[in-house]
Amino acid sequence: MSAESTWKLSAHAPRPVIEAALLAHELVADWDAELVIAGRELAEDRPGDWVLEAWYPRKPGPEVIAAIERLFAGGAPPLAIEELPPADWVTLSQHTTPPIRAGRFHVHTPDFPPDPGLIDLVIPAAQAFGTGHHHTTAGCLEMLGHIRASGLIARRIADIGTGTGLLAFAARALWPTAQLTLTDIDPVCAGVVAANAEMNAVPLGPGPGAALMIVADGMADPLIALRAPFDLLIANILAGPLVEMAEDFGKAVRPGGSLLLAGLLAGAQEDAVCRAMRRAGFRPVARLQRGDWAILWLRRRRAARPA
């Protein structure tokens, strides 16, 4: 966005409502790239009170307002709309989005310095989801460290619903020679991933240590099947699609391979996902809970030995 008048839309709601809206945003295939959204807590002493904020380079019309309201499955909270004075709000967001530490990883915007004691990853703040600040993304980063410490050898890794590419880049840092397959239903993500790959010195392409981006609806692309079976498949999306794709994951992950899942709420959603994964041949290995969100590590069962 240029240094011109910008309009801001704000919706206040409890944290789970805002986090669910941010996750729903990731599934919108035709999202307006000029409409930048983010979610945050209002204050440290009010961790349950959150706000979803959206910035638009001109006065938002009914279509923009409706796009934001559709992110709230149970009905949108009231939207406050205000015109902001001229400023480069994307640049300002880089300065006000703090770095995070998640396990072995330090994730920050380009305006913050690296932490030499951690694995450093740079993701611009304008890419609201997939920057590491959501519990599901940070939990996946932490779980990746546990998976690596277990001794898993990963030569082929898939990141389904990659968004910014952050989790795939993190996996590459742990398994530097792995062949990376990144997919997302949103074609805008292809450009985002390419830019972020360059920023994090990740080569693009089909070979070892490189990332290949595929625009696909879930697993529905023949190139994904050609690059399978995967030693590690990551899917930080939503509970419904995870259940729907369980059988596809069972076919795509090699026997003994690992599956890292997030985007599901602890409780009923987690139970439904676990049932689907068991039917697809996976067994649970470890679990993290961050806020109301569960992060699951599962392993595909090996074929039974003949008698």
Short mmCIF file of all heavy atoms in Angstrom, two decimals, residues 132-184:
data_model
loop_
_atom_site.label_atom_id
_atom_site.label_comp_id
_atom_site.label_asym_id
_atom_site.label_seq_id
_atom_site.Cartn_x
_atom_site.Cartn_y
_atom_site.Cartn_z
N GLY A 132 3.46 -17.18 12.00
CA GLY A 132 3.93 -17.80 13.22
C GLY A 132 3.24 -17.31 14.46
O GLY A 132 3.41 -17.87 15.54
N HIS A 133 2.43 -16.25 14.36
CA HIS A 133 1.80 -15.69 15.54
C HIS A 133 0.53 -16.43 15.95
O HIS A 133 0.10 -16.30 17.09
CB HIS A 133 1.51 -14.20 15.31
CG HIS A 133 2.75 -13.36 15.30
ND1 HIS A 133 3.59 -13.30 14.21
CD2 HIS A 133 3.31 -12.59 16.26
CE1 HIS A 133 4.61 -12.51 14.50
NE2 HIS A 133 4.47 -12.06 15.73
N HIS A 134 -0.07 -17.16 15.04
CA HIS A 134 -1.23 -17.95 15.42
C HIS A 134 -0.78 -19.19 16.19
O HIS A 134 0.26 -19.77 15.90
CB HIS A 134 -2.03 -18.35 14.18
CG HIS A 134 -3.38 -18.89 14.51
ND1 HIS A 134 -3.58 -20.21 14.85
CD2 HIS A 134 -4.60 -18.30 14.58
CE1 HIS A 134 -4.86 -20.40 15.10
NE2 HIS A 134 -5.50 -19.25 14.94
N HIS A 135 -1.59 -19.62 17.17
CA HIS A 135 -1.23 -20.77 18.00
C HIS A 135 -0.95 -22.01 17.15
O HIS A 135 -0.06 -22.81 17.48
CB HIS A 135 -2.36 -21.09 18.98
CG HIS A 135 -2.45 -20.12 20.12
ND1 HIS A 135 -1.40 -19.87 20.96
CD2 HIS A 135 -3.48 -19.35 20.57
CE1 HIS A 135 -1.77 -19.00 21.89
NE2 HIS A 135 -3.02 -18.66 21.66
N THR A 136 -1.72 -22.21 16.07
CA THR A 136 -1.54 -23.43 15.28
C THR A 136 -0.19 -23.43 14.57
O THR A 136 0.50 -24.45 14.53
CB THR A 136 -2.66 -23.57 14.24
OG1 THR A 136 -2.65 -22.45 13.36
CG2 THR A 136 -4.01 -23.65 14.92
N THR A 137 0.20 -22.29 14.00
CA THR A 137 1.47 -22.21 13.29
C THR A 137 2.64 -22.34 14.26
O THR A 137 3.59 -23.09 14.01
CB THR A 137 1.57 -20.88 12.51
OG1 THR A 137 0.38 -20.69 11.75
CG2 THR A 137 2.77 -20.91 11.57
N ALA A 138 2.58 -21.61 15.37
CA ALA A 138 3.65 -21.71 16.36
C ALA A 138 3.74 -23.11 16.93
O ALA A 138 4.85 -23.64 17.15
CB ALA A 138 3.41 -20.69 17.47
N GLY A 139 2.59 -23.76 17.16
CA GLY A 139 2.60 -25.13 17.66
C GLY A 139 3.22 -26.10 16.68
O GLY A 139 3.94 -27.03 17.07
N CYS A 140 2.95 -25.90 15.38
CA CYS A 140 3.57 -26.76 14.36
C CYS A 140 5.08 -26.59 14.35
O CYS A 140 5.83 -27.56 14.19
CB CYS A 140 2.99 -26.43 12.99
SG CYS A 140 1.34 -27.09 12.70
N LEU A 141 5.55 -25.35 14.49
CA LEU A 141 6.99 -25.12 14.53
C LEU A 141 7.62 -25.87 15.70
O LEU A 141 8.67 -26.51 15.57
CB LEU A 141 7.27 -23.62 14.65
CG LEU A 141 6.94 -22.76 13.44
CD1 LEU A 141 7.04 -21.28 13.79
CD2 LEU A 141 7.85 -23.09 12.26
N GLU A 142 6.97 -25.80 16.85
CA GLU A 142 7.48 -26.50 18.02
C GLU A 142 7.47 -28.01 17.80
O GLU A 142 8.43 -28.72 18.14
CB GLU A 142 6.65 -26.12 19.24
CG GLU A 142 7.21 -26.65 20.55
CD GLU A 142 6.46 -26.12 21.76
OE1 GLU A 142 5.67 -25.16 21.60
OE2 GLU A 142 6.67 -26.69 22.85
N MET A 143 6.38 -28.53 17.23
CA MET A 143 6.28 -29.97 17.02
C MET A 143 7.29 -30.46 15.99
O MET A 143 7.81 -31.59 16.09
CB MET A 143 4.86 -30.34 16.59
CG MET A 143 4.61 -31.84 16.53
SD MET A 143 4.66 -32.66 18.15
CE MET A 143 2.94 -32.49 18.63
N LEU A 144 7.59 -29.64 14.98
CA LEU A 144 8.61 -30.03 14.01
C LEU A 144 9.93 -30.31 14.70
O LEU A 144 10.65 -31.25 14.33
CB LEU A 144 8.79 -28.93 12.96
CG LEU A 144 7.74 -28.88 11.85
CD1 LEU A 144 7.92 -27.62 11.01
CD2 LEU A 144 7.84 -30.12 10.96
N GLY A 145 10.27 -29.51 15.71
CA GLY A 145 11.49 -29.77 16.45
C GLY A 145 11.46 -31.11 17.16
O GLY A 145 12.47 -31.84 17.18
N HIS A 146 10.31 -31.49 17.73
CA HIS A 146 10.18 -32.79 18.39
C HIS A 146 10.32 -33.93 17.38
O HIS A 146 10.95 -34.96 17.67
CB HIS A 146 8.83 -32.88 19.10
CG HIS A 146 8.66 -31.92 20.23
ND1 HIS A 146 9.63 -31.67 21.17
CD2 HIS A 146 7.61 -31.12 20.57
CE1 HIS A 146 9.20 -30.78 22.04
NE2 HIS A 146 7.97 -30.42 21.69
N ILE A 147 9.71 -33.75 16.21
CA ILE A 147 9.79 -34.80 15.18
C ILE A 147 11.23 -34.99 14.74
O ILE A 147 11.71 -36.12 14.58
CB ILE A 147 8.88 -34.44 13.99
CG1 ILE A 147 7.41 -34.44 14.44
CG2 ILE A 147 9.08 -35.42 12.84
CD1 ILE A 147 6.44 -33.93 13.39
N ARG A 148 11.94 -33.88 14.54
CA ARG A 148 13.35 -33.99 14.13
C ARG A 148 14.17 -34.67 15.22
O ARG A 148 15.04 -35.51 14.92
CB ARG A 148 13.91 -32.59 13.84
CG ARG A 148 15.38 -32.60 13.40
CD ARG A 148 15.51 -33.30 12.06
NE ARG A 148 16.89 -33.38 11.62
CZ ARG A 148 17.75 -34.37 11.95
NH1 ARG A 148 17.34 -35.36 12.77
NH2 ARG A 148 18.97 -34.39 11.50
N ALA A 149 13.91 -34.33 16.47
CA ALA A 149 14.67 -34.92 17.58
C ALA A 149 14.40 -36.42 17.72
O ALA A 149 15.23 -37.14 18.30
CB ALA A 149 14.32 -34.20 18.88
N SER A 150 13.27 -36.89 17.17
CA SER A 150 12.96 -38.32 17.26
C SER A 150 13.83 -39.16 16.35
O SER A 150 13.83 -40.40 16.45
CB SER A 150 11.49 -38.55 16.91
OG SER A 150 11.28 -38.45 15.49
N GLY A 151 14.54 -38.51 15.44
CA GLY A 151 15.39 -39.24 14.50
C GLY A 151 14.78 -39.50 13.15
O GLY A 151 15.36 -40.22 12.33
N LEU A 152 13.60 -38.92 12.87
CA LEU A 152 12.97 -39.12 11.57
C LEU A 152 13.89 -38.67 10.44
O LEU A 152 14.45 -37.57 10.48
CB LEU A 152 11.66 -38.32 11.49
CG LEU A 152 10.96 -38.35 10.12
CD1 LEU A 152 10.35 -39.71 9.85
CD2 LEU A 152 9.89 -37.26 10.04
N ILE A 153 14.04 -39.51 9.45
CA ILE A 153 14.77 -39.16 8.23
C ILE A 153 13.72 -38.77 7.18
O ILE A 153 12.91 -39.60 6.78
CB ILE A 153 15.63 -40.33 7.74
CG1 ILE A 153 16.69 -40.69 8.79
CG2 ILE A 153 16.30 -39.97 6.41
CD1 ILE A 153 17.48 -41.93 8.46
N ALA A 154 13.73 -37.52 6.77
CA ALA A 154 12.73 -37.02 5.83
C ALA A 154 13.40 -36.61 4.53
O ALA A 154 14.12 -35.62 4.50
CB ALA A 154 11.96 -35.86 6.44
N ARG A 155 13.16 -37.38 3.50
CA ARG A 155 13.69 -37.04 2.17
C ARG A 155 12.65 -36.36 1.31
O ARG A 155 12.99 -35.63 0.38
CB ARG A 155 14.19 -38.31 1.48
CG ARG A 155 15.35 -39.00 2.22
CD ARG A 155 15.86 -40.19 1.43
NE ARG A 155 17.00 -40.82 2.09
CZ ARG A 155 16.89 -41.80 2.99
NH1 ARG A 155 15.68 -42.26 3.33
NH2 ARG A 155 17.95 -42.32 3.56
N ARG A 156 11.38 -36.59 1.61
CA ARG A 156 10.28 -35.96 0.87
C ARG A 156 9.28 -35.40 1.88
O ARG A 156 8.75 -36.13 2.72
CB ARG A 156 9.58 -36.97 -0.04
CG ARG A 156 10.49 -37.55 -1.13
CD ARG A 156 9.70 -38.41 -2.08
NE ARG A 156 10.54 -38.99 -3.11
CZ ARG A 156 10.10 -39.65 -4.18
NH1 ARG A 156 8.78 -39.82 -4.35
NH2 ARG A 156 10.93 -40.14 -5.07
N ILE A 157 9.03 -34.10 1.77
CA ILE A 157 8.16 -33.41 2.72
C ILE A 157 7.09 -32.65 1.93
O ILE A 157 7.40 -32.01 0.92
CB ILE A 157 8.96 -32.42 3.59
CG1 ILE A 157 10.00 -33.18 4.43
CG2 ILE A 157 8.04 -31.62 4.50
CD1 ILE A 157 10.94 -32.26 5.19
N ALA A 158 5.86 -32.71 2.40
CA ALA A 158 4.76 -31.95 1.79
C ALA A 158 4.16 -31.01 2.82
O ALA A 158 4.01 -31.38 3.99
CB ALA A 158 3.69 -32.89 1.25
N ASP A 159 3.80 -29.82 2.38
CA ASP A 159 3.11 -28.83 3.22
C ASP A 159 1.82 -28.47 2.50
O ASP A 159 1.83 -27.71 1.52
CB ASP A 159 4.00 -27.61 3.44
CG ASP A 159 3.35 -26.58 4.35
OD1 ASP A 159 2.31 -26.88 4.95
OD2 ASP A 159 3.90 -25.46 4.46
N ILE A 160 0.71 -29.03 2.98
CA ILE A 160 -0.58 -28.86 2.32
C ILE A 160 -1.30 -27.65 2.93
O ILE A 160 -1.52 -27.60 4.14
CB ILE A 160 -1.45 -30.13 2.48
CG1 ILE A 160 -0.66 -31.38 2.04
CG2 ILE A 160 -2.74 -29.98 1.69
CD1 ILE A 160 -0.19 -31.35 0.60
N GLY A 161 -1.69 -26.70 2.09
CA GLY A 161 -2.26 -25.45 2.60
C GLY A 161 -1.16 -24.57 3.15
O GLY A 161 -1.25 -24.03 4.25
N THR A 162 -0.12 -24.37 2.38
CA THR A 162 1.13 -23.78 2.88
C THR A 162 1.01 -22.31 3.26
O THR A 162 1.74 -21.83 4.12
CB THR A 162 2.25 -23.96 1.83
OG1 THR A 162 3.50 -23.62 2.40
CG2 THR A 162 1.99 -23.13 0.59
N GLY A 163 0.11 -21.55 2.63
CA GLY A 163 -0.01 -20.12 2.96
C GLY A 163 1.24 -19.35 2.60
O GLY A 163 1.55 -19.13 1.43
N THR A 164 2.00 -18.95 3.59
CA THR A 164 3.23 -18.17 3.37
C THR A 164 4.44 -19.03 3.06
O THR A 164 5.50 -18.50 2.71
CB THR A 164 3.56 -17.34 4.62
OG1 THR A 164 3.81 -18.23 5.71
CG2 THR A 164 2.42 -16.40 4.98
N GLY A 165 4.33 -20.36 3.27
CA GLY A 165 5.47 -21.25 3.09
C GLY A 165 6.29 -21.45 4.36
O GLY A 165 7.27 -22.20 4.36
N LEU A 166 5.88 -20.80 5.46
CA LEU A 166 6.69 -20.81 6.67
C LEU A 166 7.00 -22.21 7.18
O LEU A 166 8.15 -22.54 7.49
CB LEU A 166 5.97 -20.01 7.77
CG LEU A 166 6.56 -20.08 9.18
CD1 LEU A 166 8.00 -19.58 9.20
CD2 LEU A 166 5.71 -19.30 10.17
N LEU A 167 5.99 -23.09 7.27
CA LEU A 167 6.23 -24.41 7.84
C LEU A 167 7.12 -25.25 6.93
O LEU A 167 7.96 -26.03 7.42
CB LEU A 167 4.90 -25.12 8.10
CG LEU A 167 4.02 -24.46 9.17
CD1 LEU A 167 2.71 -25.23 9.34
CD2 LEU A 167 4.75 -24.36 10.51
N ALA A 168 6.97 -25.10 5.63
CA ALA A 168 7.86 -25.82 4.72
C ALA A 168 9.30 -25.33 4.86
O ALA A 168 10.25 -26.13 4.85
CB ALA A 168 7.38 -25.64 3.28
N PHE A 169 9.48 -24.03 4.99
CA PHE A 169 10.84 -23.49 5.16
C PHE A 169 11.44 -23.96 6.48
O PHE A 169 12.64 -24.25 6.56
CB PHE A 169 10.82 -21.96 5.12
CG PHE A 169 10.24 -21.38 3.85
CD1 PHE A 169 9.70 -20.10 3.84
CD2 PHE A 169 10.21 -22.11 2.67
CE1 PHE A 169 9.16 -19.56 2.69
CE2 PHE A 169 9.68 -21.58 1.51
CZ PHE A 169 9.15 -20.30 1.52
N ALA A 170 10.61 -24.05 7.52
CA ALA A 170 11.09 -24.54 8.81
C ALA A 170 11.51 -26.00 8.69
O ALA A 170 12.55 -26.41 9.24
CB ALA A 170 10.00 -24.37 9.87
N ALA A 171 10.70 -26.80 7.98
CA ALA A 171 11.05 -28.20 7.80
C ALA A 171 12.36 -28.34 7.03
O ALA A 171 13.20 -29.20 7.34
CB ALA A 171 9.92 -28.93 7.07
N ARG A 172 12.55 -27.49 6.03
CA ARG A 172 13.80 -27.56 5.27
C ARG A 172 15.00 -27.24 6.16
O ARG A 172 16.08 -27.80 5.99
CB ARG A 172 13.75 -26.58 4.09
CG ARG A 172 15.02 -26.58 3.25
CD ARG A 172 14.96 -25.52 2.17
NE ARG A 172 16.18 -25.52 1.36
CZ ARG A 172 17.27 -24.85 1.67
NH1 ARG A 172 17.32 -24.11 2.77
NH2 ARG A 172 18.33 -24.89 0.88
N ALA A 173 14.82 -26.31 7.11
CA ALA A 173 15.93 -25.99 8.00
C ALA A 173 16.33 -27.19 8.85
O ALA A 173 17.51 -27.32 9.22
CB ALA A 173 15.52 -24.82 8.91
N LEU A 174 15.38 -28.07 9.13
CA LEU A 174 15.67 -29.26 9.92
C LEU A 174 16.13 -30.44 9.06
O LEU A 174 16.89 -31.28 9.54
CB LEU A 174 14.43 -29.66 10.73
CG LEU A 174 13.92 -28.61 11.73
CD1 LEU A 174 12.61 -29.08 12.36
CD2 LEU A 174 14.96 -28.34 12.79
N TRP A 175 15.64 -30.49 7.83
CA TRP A 175 16.04 -31.55 6.88
C TRP A 175 16.50 -30.85 5.59
O TRP A 175 15.74 -30.76 4.62
CB TRP A 175 14.85 -32.47 6.59
CG TRP A 175 14.42 -33.30 7.77
CD1 TRP A 175 14.94 -34.49 8.19
CD2 TRP A 175 13.34 -33.02 8.67
NE1 TRP A 175 14.27 -34.95 9.29
CE2 TRP A 175 13.29 -34.07 9.62
CE3 TRP A 175 12.42 -31.96 8.79
CZ2 TRP A 175 12.35 -34.11 10.65
CZ3 TRP A 175 11.50 -32.00 9.82
CH2 TRP A 175 11.46 -33.06 10.74
N PRO A 176 17.72 -30.35 5.55
CA PRO A 176 18.15 -29.43 4.48
C PRO A 176 18.14 -30.03 3.08
O PRO A 176 18.05 -29.29 2.10
CB PRO A 176 19.58 -29.06 4.89
CG PRO A 176 19.65 -29.33 6.36
CD PRO A 176 18.75 -30.49 6.60
N THR A 177 18.26 -31.35 2.94
CA THR A 177 18.30 -31.95 1.60
C THR A 177 16.97 -32.53 1.17
O THR A 177 16.88 -33.17 0.12
CB THR A 177 19.38 -33.04 1.55
OG1 THR A 177 19.05 -34.07 2.51
CG2 THR A 177 20.75 -32.46 1.89
N ALA A 178 15.92 -32.31 1.95
CA ALA A 178 14.62 -32.88 1.61
C ALA A 178 14.02 -32.20 0.38
O ALA A 178 14.23 -31.00 0.14
CB ALA A 178 13.66 -32.74 2.79
N GLN A 179 13.28 -32.96 -0.37
CA GLN A 179 12.51 -32.43 -1.50
C GLN A 179 11.19 -31.90 -0.95
O GLN A 179 10.44 -32.63 -0.31
CB GLN A 179 12.26 -33.57 -2.50
CG GLN A 179 11.45 -33.19 -3.73
CD GLN A 179 11.03 -34.44 -4.50
OE1 GLN A 179 10.11 -35.15 -4.11
NE2 GLN A 179 11.72 -34.71 -5.59
N LEU A 180 10.90 -30.62 -1.18
CA LEU A 180 9.73 -29.97 -0.59
C LEU A 180 8.62 -29.79 -1.62
O LEU A 180 8.86 -29.26 -2.71
CB LEU A 180 10.10 -28.60 -0.02
CG LEU A 180 11.19 -28.55 1.05
CD1 LEU A 180 11.50 -27.10 1.39
CD2 LEU A 180 10.78 -29.31 2.29
N THR A 181 7.41 -30.20 -1.26
CA THR A 181 6.22 -29.98 -2.09
C THR A 181 5.26 -29.11 -1.30
O THR A 181 4.79 -29.50 -0.23
CB THR A 181 5.55 -31.31 -2.46
OG1 THR A 181 6.49 -32.15 -3.13
CG2 THR A 181 4.35 -31.07 -3.35
N LEU A 182 4.98 -27.91 -1.81
CA LEU A 182 4.09 -26.96 -1.15
C LEU A 182 2.83 -26.81 -1.99
O LEU A 182 2.91 -26.67 -3.22
CB LEU A 182 4.75 -25.59 -0.99
CG LEU A 182 5.90 -25.42 0.00
CD1 LEU A 182 7.14 -26.20 -0.43
CD2 LEU A 182 6.26 -23.96 0.15
N THR A 183 1.66 -26.85 -1.34
CA THR A 183 0.42 -26.65 -2.08
C THR A 183 -0.49 -25.67 -1.35
O THR A 183 -0.42 -25.53 -0.13
CB THR A 183 -0.36 -27.98 -2.24
OG1 THR A 183 -1.06 -28.28 -1.03
CG2 THR A 183 0.56 -29.13 -2.58
N ASP A 184 -1.32 -25.00 -2.14
CA ASP A 184 -2.37 -24.16 -1.57
C ASP A 184 -3.44 -23.99 -2.63
O ASP A 184 -3.15 -23.97 -3.83
CB ASP A 184 -1.82 -22.80 -1.13
CG ASP A 184 -2.70 -22.16 -0.05
OD1 ASP A 184 -3.80 -21.70 -0.37
OD2 ASP A 184 -2.27 -22.16 1.12
#
